[in-house]
Amino acid sequence: MARPAKFTADQILDAARDVAVEHWRDTTIAHVAERVGAPVGSIYHRFPSRDALFGSLWARSIRRFHEGLLTATEIEDPRAAMAAMARHIPRFCRENPADAKAMTLYRLPDLLEKVPSGQRAELATINDGANAGLRRVAARRYDRLTDRRYRLALVGTRQCPYGLIRPLIGGDIPHEFDAICVAATEGILALGD
């Protein structure tokens, strides 16, 4: 009978997240093992490679980030929903700095090439729920949803606000960036009116 695991996958991911704040892309399995207090082999028992471990950490951070985006899509007024989506980005990164840092470890296309094949299906669809929620809000925002309007919604609510915040991740994210992100979002979305 196999003995029970001493460390959960979440404990290992928490350790990986914490050391990634210090070492970012230079974080090793040995760093993680030292932080969690486990032999390196125990980490490899759960995660077959460094990219499998940090890919799992990246995915967990993205799922946590998406929770706030999905909550914002439930706001009835589409303009308020899209402003809340933009505002969520600096707030999440400010309130969850370690998860925000973990989100910067990879770009999704690069990660898909590095992780074991068993992880690729989950990662390939990781943004589907957030994208579907945005599509629903954008359809309420515009009289007629076109590909161009959806692209504007995506750029306005996610890509632009995240682009404004990403250089600040790992440091102080001033509260004024909440309003800056919303203003940028509203300007971009107005291009579709």
Side-chain angles (χ1 to χ4, degrees):
M1 186 163 131
R3 60 187 170 139
K6 188 173 180 182
F7 302 100
T8 67
D10 270 333
Q11 287 172 315
I12 295 169
L13 291 174
D14 288 345
R17 179 197 61 202
D18 294 345
V19 294
V21 168
E22 297 171 39
H23 303 285
W24 196 44
R25 291 182 178 156
D26 294 329
T27 306
T28 65
I29 294 288
H31 288 127
V32 177
E34 182 181 340
R35 179 64 56 102
V36 81
V40 169
S42 292
I43 308 300
Y44 280 115
H45 181 72
R46 290 286 180 108
F47 300 95
S49 69
R50 181 188 177 283
D51 288 321
L53 170 62
F54 288 99
S56 294
L57 171 62
W58 182 88
R60 185 182 77 166
S61 298
I62 294 294
R63 284 192 300 274
R64 289 176 174 178
F65 171 69
H66 283 169
E67 289 173 11
L69 291 177
L70 293 171
T71 298
T73 67
E74 296 171 9
I75 298 171
E76 189 172 331
D77 176 0
R79 292 175 190 271
M82 291 174 138
M85 293 170 84
R87 197 177 299 112
H88 168 67
I89 294 169
R91 288 183 178 171
F92 177 87
C93 293
R94 185 183 304 116
E95 294 168 6
N96 304 279
D99 279 320
K101 189 73 168 183
M103 292 181 353
T104 69
L105 290 171
Y106 297 95
R107 290 179 56 249
L108 181 57
D110 299 332
L111 182 59
L112 288 171
E113 292 179 11
K114 294 180 178 200
V115 296
S117 59
Q119 277 183 285
R120 291 183 188 142
E122 173 200 1
L123 292 172
T125 61
I126 198 162
N127 291 317
D128 289 359
N131 291 341
L134 176 60
R135 188 171 289 284
R136 288 190 301 274
V137 174
R140 294 195 316 262
R141 165 83 164 72
Y142 298 113
D143 291 335
R144 189 172 67 86
L145 185 61
T146 62
D147 288 342
R148 178 179 180 272
R149 286 175 168 163
Y150 177 72
R151 275 193 313 275
L152 288 170
L154 183 61
V155 169
T157 61
R158 287 219 301 271
Q159 293 172 349
C160 177
Y162 187 66
L164 290 167
I165 298 306
R166 193 175 192 285
L168 303 174
I169 291 173
D172 181 45
I173 300 174
H175 288 273
E176 68 184 331
F177 273 86
D178 298 13
I180 291 169
C181 287
V182 171
T185 294
E186 290 173 348
I188 292 168
L189 294 173
L191 298 172
D193 290 335

Short mmCIF file of all heavy atoms in Angstrom, two decimals, residues 121-151:
data_model
loop_
_atom_site.label_atom_id
_atom_site.label_comp_id
_atom_site.label_asym_id
_atom_site.label_seq_id
_atom_site.Cartn_x
_atom_site.Cartn_y
_atom_site.Cartn_z
N ALA A 121 -4.47 20.32 -23.48
CA ALA A 121 -5.90 20.52 -23.74
C ALA A 121 -6.50 21.52 -22.75
O ALA A 121 -7.25 22.42 -23.15
CB ALA A 121 -6.65 19.18 -23.68
N GLU A 122 -6.17 21.37 -21.47
CA GLU A 122 -6.68 22.30 -20.47
C GLU A 122 -6.18 23.71 -20.74
O GLU A 122 -6.94 24.68 -20.70
CB GLU A 122 -6.24 21.88 -19.06
CG GLU A 122 -6.61 22.91 -18.01
CD GLU A 122 -5.81 22.80 -16.72
OE1 GLU A 122 -4.94 21.93 -16.60
OE2 GLU A 122 -6.08 23.63 -15.83
N LEU A 123 -4.90 23.83 -21.04
CA LEU A 123 -4.33 25.16 -21.26
C LEU A 123 -4.87 25.80 -22.53
O LEU A 123 -5.08 27.01 -22.58
CB LEU A 123 -2.81 25.07 -21.31
CG LEU A 123 -2.14 24.72 -19.99
CD1 LEU A 123 -0.65 24.47 -20.20
CD2 LEU A 123 -2.37 25.80 -18.96
N ALA A 124 -5.09 25.01 -23.56
CA ALA A 124 -5.58 25.55 -24.83
C ALA A 124 -6.95 26.18 -24.70
O ALA A 124 -7.31 27.07 -25.48
CB ALA A 124 -5.59 24.46 -25.90
N THR A 125 -7.72 25.75 -23.70
CA THR A 125 -9.08 26.27 -23.52
C THR A 125 -9.23 27.13 -22.27
O THR A 125 -10.34 27.49 -21.90
CB THR A 125 -10.08 25.10 -23.45
OG1 THR A 125 -9.74 24.27 -22.32
CG2 THR A 125 -10.08 24.28 -24.73
N ILE A 126 -8.12 27.49 -21.64
CA ILE A 126 -8.19 28.17 -20.35
C ILE A 126 -8.91 29.51 -20.41
O ILE A 126 -9.55 29.91 -19.45
CB ILE A 126 -6.79 28.31 -19.71
CG1 ILE A 126 -6.93 28.60 -18.22
CG2 ILE A 126 -5.96 29.37 -20.44
CD1 ILE A 126 -5.69 28.34 -17.42
N ASN A 127 -8.85 30.19 -21.53
CA ASN A 127 -9.50 31.49 -21.65
C ASN A 127 -10.93 31.41 -22.18
O ASN A 127 -11.60 32.45 -22.30
CB ASN A 127 -8.67 32.41 -22.54
CG ASN A 127 -7.37 32.81 -21.89
OD1 ASN A 127 -7.33 33.14 -20.72
ND2 ASN A 127 -6.30 32.77 -22.67
N ASP A 128 -11.41 30.23 -22.51
CA ASP A 128 -12.71 30.11 -23.15
C ASP A 128 -13.85 30.68 -22.32
O ASP A 128 -14.71 31.38 -22.85
CB ASP A 128 -13.02 28.65 -23.50
CG ASP A 128 -12.17 28.14 -24.66
OD1 ASP A 128 -11.35 28.90 -25.21
OD2 ASP A 128 -12.33 26.94 -25.00
N GLY A 129 -13.89 30.41 -21.03
CA GLY A 129 -14.97 30.92 -20.19
C GLY A 129 -14.95 32.43 -20.10
O GLY A 129 -15.99 33.09 -20.22
N ALA A 130 -13.77 33.01 -19.90
CA ALA A 130 -13.65 34.48 -19.82
C ALA A 130 -14.00 35.11 -21.17
O ALA A 130 -14.67 36.15 -21.22
CB ALA A 130 -12.25 34.87 -19.39
N ASN A 131 -13.58 34.47 -22.26
CA ASN A 131 -13.91 35.00 -23.59
C ASN A 131 -15.40 34.93 -23.87
O ASN A 131 -15.98 35.85 -24.44
CB ASN A 131 -13.13 34.27 -24.67
CG ASN A 131 -11.64 34.57 -24.61
OD1 ASN A 131 -11.22 35.56 -24.03
ND2 ASN A 131 -10.84 33.70 -25.21
N ALA A 132 -16.05 33.84 -23.47
CA ALA A 132 -17.49 33.71 -23.67
C ALA A 132 -18.25 34.75 -22.84
O ALA A 132 -19.21 35.36 -23.32
CB ALA A 132 -17.96 32.30 -23.30
N GLY A 133 -17.79 34.98 -21.61
CA GLY A 133 -18.42 36.01 -20.78
C GLY A 133 -18.27 37.38 -21.39
O GLY A 133 -19.22 38.19 -21.42
N LEU A 134 -17.09 37.67 -21.91
CA LEU A 134 -16.87 38.96 -22.56
C LEU A 134 -17.75 39.09 -23.80
O LEU A 134 -18.33 40.15 -24.05
CB LEU A 134 -15.40 39.11 -22.95
CG LEU A 134 -15.05 40.37 -23.73
CD1 LEU A 134 -15.41 41.64 -22.94
CD2 LEU A 134 -13.58 40.36 -24.12
N ARG A 135 -17.88 38.03 -24.55
CA ARG A 135 -18.72 38.07 -25.75
C ARG A 135 -20.17 38.40 -25.38
O ARG A 135 -20.84 39.19 -26.05
CB ARG A 135 -18.64 36.73 -26.50
CG ARG A 135 -19.32 36.75 -27.85
CD ARG A 135 -19.03 35.50 -28.66
NE ARG A 135 -17.68 35.43 -29.15
CZ ARG A 135 -17.20 36.14 -30.18
NH1 ARG A 135 -17.98 36.96 -30.82
NH2 ARG A 135 -15.95 35.99 -30.57
N ARG A 136 -20.67 37.81 -24.29
CA ARG A 136 -22.04 38.10 -23.85
C ARG A 136 -22.20 39.57 -23.45
O ARG A 136 -23.19 40.21 -23.81
CB ARG A 136 -22.43 37.19 -22.67
CG ARG A 136 -22.67 35.74 -23.04
CD ARG A 136 -23.29 34.94 -21.90
NE ARG A 136 -22.46 34.93 -20.70
CZ ARG A 136 -21.47 34.07 -20.46
NH1 ARG A 136 -21.17 33.15 -21.37
NH2 ARG A 136 -20.79 34.11 -19.33
N VAL A 137 -21.23 40.10 -22.73
CA VAL A 137 -21.30 41.50 -22.32
C VAL A 137 -21.19 42.41 -23.53
O VAL A 137 -21.93 43.39 -23.65
CB VAL A 137 -20.21 41.83 -21.28
CG1 VAL A 137 -20.18 43.31 -20.96
CG2 VAL A 137 -20.42 41.03 -20.00
N ALA A 138 -20.27 42.10 -24.45
CA ALA A 138 -20.10 42.92 -25.65
C ALA A 138 -21.37 42.90 -26.49
O ALA A 138 -21.75 43.93 -27.06
CB ALA A 138 -18.91 42.43 -26.45
N ALA A 139 -22.06 41.77 -26.54
CA ALA A 139 -23.32 41.70 -27.30
C ALA A 139 -24.38 42.60 -26.67
O ALA A 139 -25.20 43.19 -27.38
CB ALA A 139 -23.81 40.25 -27.35
N ARG A 140 -24.36 42.74 -25.34
CA ARG A 140 -25.30 43.66 -24.69
C ARG A 140 -24.87 45.12 -24.90
O ARG A 140 -25.69 46.00 -24.94
CB ARG A 140 -25.38 43.36 -23.19
CG ARG A 140 -25.99 42.01 -22.87
CD ARG A 140 -26.41 41.85 -21.41
NE ARG A 140 -25.46 42.31 -20.42
CZ ARG A 140 -24.60 41.54 -19.76
NH1 ARG A 140 -24.56 40.24 -19.99
NH2 ARG A 140 -23.79 42.05 -18.85
N ARG A 141 -23.57 45.34 -24.99
CA ARG A 141 -23.03 46.71 -25.11
C ARG A 141 -23.31 47.32 -26.47
O ARG A 141 -23.63 48.49 -26.59
CB ARG A 141 -21.51 46.65 -24.85
CG ARG A 141 -20.70 47.87 -25.27
CD ARG A 141 -20.74 48.93 -24.22
NE ARG A 141 -19.74 49.96 -24.35
CZ ARG A 141 -19.70 50.92 -25.26
NH1 ARG A 141 -20.58 50.94 -26.23
NH2 ARG A 141 -18.77 51.84 -25.23
N TYR A 142 -23.15 46.51 -27.53
CA TYR A 142 -23.31 47.00 -28.89
C TYR A 142 -24.62 46.48 -29.47
O TYR A 142 -25.05 45.38 -29.17
CB TYR A 142 -22.14 46.55 -29.76
CG TYR A 142 -20.80 47.08 -29.30
CD1 TYR A 142 -19.82 46.23 -28.80
CD2 TYR A 142 -20.52 48.44 -29.37
CE1 TYR A 142 -18.58 46.72 -28.39
CE2 TYR A 142 -19.28 48.94 -28.96
CZ TYR A 142 -18.31 48.08 -28.47
OH TYR A 142 -17.10 48.56 -28.05
N ASP A 143 -25.25 47.27 -30.31
CA ASP A 143 -26.49 46.83 -30.96
C ASP A 143 -26.27 45.55 -31.75
O ASP A 143 -27.11 44.66 -31.75
CB ASP A 143 -27.03 47.92 -31.90
CG ASP A 143 -27.53 49.14 -31.15
OD1 ASP A 143 -27.90 49.00 -29.97
OD2 ASP A 143 -27.55 50.24 -31.75
N ARG A 144 -25.15 45.49 -32.43
CA ARG A 144 -24.82 44.33 -33.25
C ARG A 144 -23.37 43.98 -32.98
O ARG A 144 -22.49 44.81 -33.16
CB ARG A 144 -25.04 44.66 -34.73
CG ARG A 144 -24.93 43.49 -35.66
CD ARG A 144 -25.36 43.86 -37.08
NE ARG A 144 -24.45 44.81 -37.70
CZ ARG A 144 -23.34 44.48 -38.35
NH1 ARG A 144 -23.00 43.21 -38.47
NH2 ARG A 144 -22.57 45.39 -38.90
N LEU A 145 -23.14 42.76 -32.53
CA LEU A 145 -21.77 42.33 -32.23
C LEU A 145 -21.11 41.84 -33.50
O LEU A 145 -21.59 40.92 -34.15
CB LEU A 145 -21.77 41.23 -31.16
CG LEU A 145 -20.39 40.79 -30.68
CD1 LEU A 145 -19.64 41.95 -30.05
CD2 LEU A 145 -20.51 39.65 -29.70
N THR A 146 -20.01 42.49 -33.86
CA THR A 146 -19.21 42.09 -35.01
C THR A 146 -17.85 41.61 -34.50
O THR A 146 -17.51 41.81 -33.33
CB THR A 146 -19.00 43.28 -35.97
OG1 THR A 146 -18.28 44.30 -35.27
CG2 THR A 146 -20.34 43.83 -36.46
N ASP A 147 -17.08 41.02 -35.40
CA ASP A 147 -15.72 40.61 -35.02
C ASP A 147 -14.91 41.82 -34.56
O ASP A 147 -14.17 41.75 -33.58
CB ASP A 147 -15.00 39.92 -36.18
CG ASP A 147 -15.55 38.54 -36.47
OD1 ASP A 147 -16.25 37.97 -35.59
OD2 ASP A 147 -15.28 38.02 -37.57
N ARG A 148 -15.05 42.95 -35.24
CA ARG A 148 -14.32 44.16 -34.88
C ARG A 148 -14.71 44.62 -33.48
O ARG A 148 -13.86 44.96 -32.66
CB ARG A 148 -14.58 45.27 -35.89
CG ARG A 148 -13.88 46.57 -35.54
CD ARG A 148 -14.15 47.65 -36.61
NE ARG A 148 -13.48 48.88 -36.24
CZ ARG A 148 -14.02 49.82 -35.47
NH1 ARG A 148 -15.23 49.66 -34.96
NH2 ARG A 148 -13.34 50.91 -35.18
N ARG A 149 -15.99 44.63 -33.19
CA ARG A 149 -16.45 45.08 -31.87
C ARG A 149 -15.98 44.12 -30.77
O ARG A 149 -15.64 44.55 -29.67
CB ARG A 149 -17.96 45.25 -31.86
CG ARG A 149 -18.41 46.49 -32.62
CD ARG A 149 -19.90 46.58 -32.70
NE ARG A 149 -20.32 47.90 -33.17
CZ ARG A 149 -21.52 48.15 -33.65
NH1 ARG A 149 -22.43 47.17 -33.73
NH2 ARG A 149 -21.82 49.37 -34.05
N TYR A 150 -15.98 42.84 -31.06
CA TYR A 150 -15.47 41.89 -30.06
C TYR A 150 -13.99 42.13 -29.82
O TYR A 150 -13.53 42.11 -28.68
CB TYR A 150 -15.72 40.44 -30.49
CG TYR A 150 -15.12 39.48 -29.49
CD1 TYR A 150 -15.70 39.30 -28.24
CD2 TYR A 150 -13.94 38.79 -29.77
CE1 TYR A 150 -15.13 38.46 -27.29
CE2 TYR A 150 -13.37 37.95 -28.84
CZ TYR A 150 -13.96 37.79 -27.60
OH TYR A 150 -13.38 36.96 -26.66
N ARG A 151 -13.21 42.36 -30.89
CA ARG A 151 -11.78 42.66 -30.72
C ARG A 151 -11.58 43.92 -29.88
O ARG A 151 -10.71 43.97 -29.01
CB ARG A 151 -11.10 42.82 -32.08
CG ARG A 151 -10.65 41.52 -32.69
CD ARG A 151 -9.70 41.71 -33.87
NE ARG A 151 -10.14 42.70 -34.84
CZ ARG A 151 -10.98 42.45 -35.83
NH1 ARG A 151 -11.49 41.26 -35.99
NH2 ARG A 151 -11.32 43.41 -36.67
#
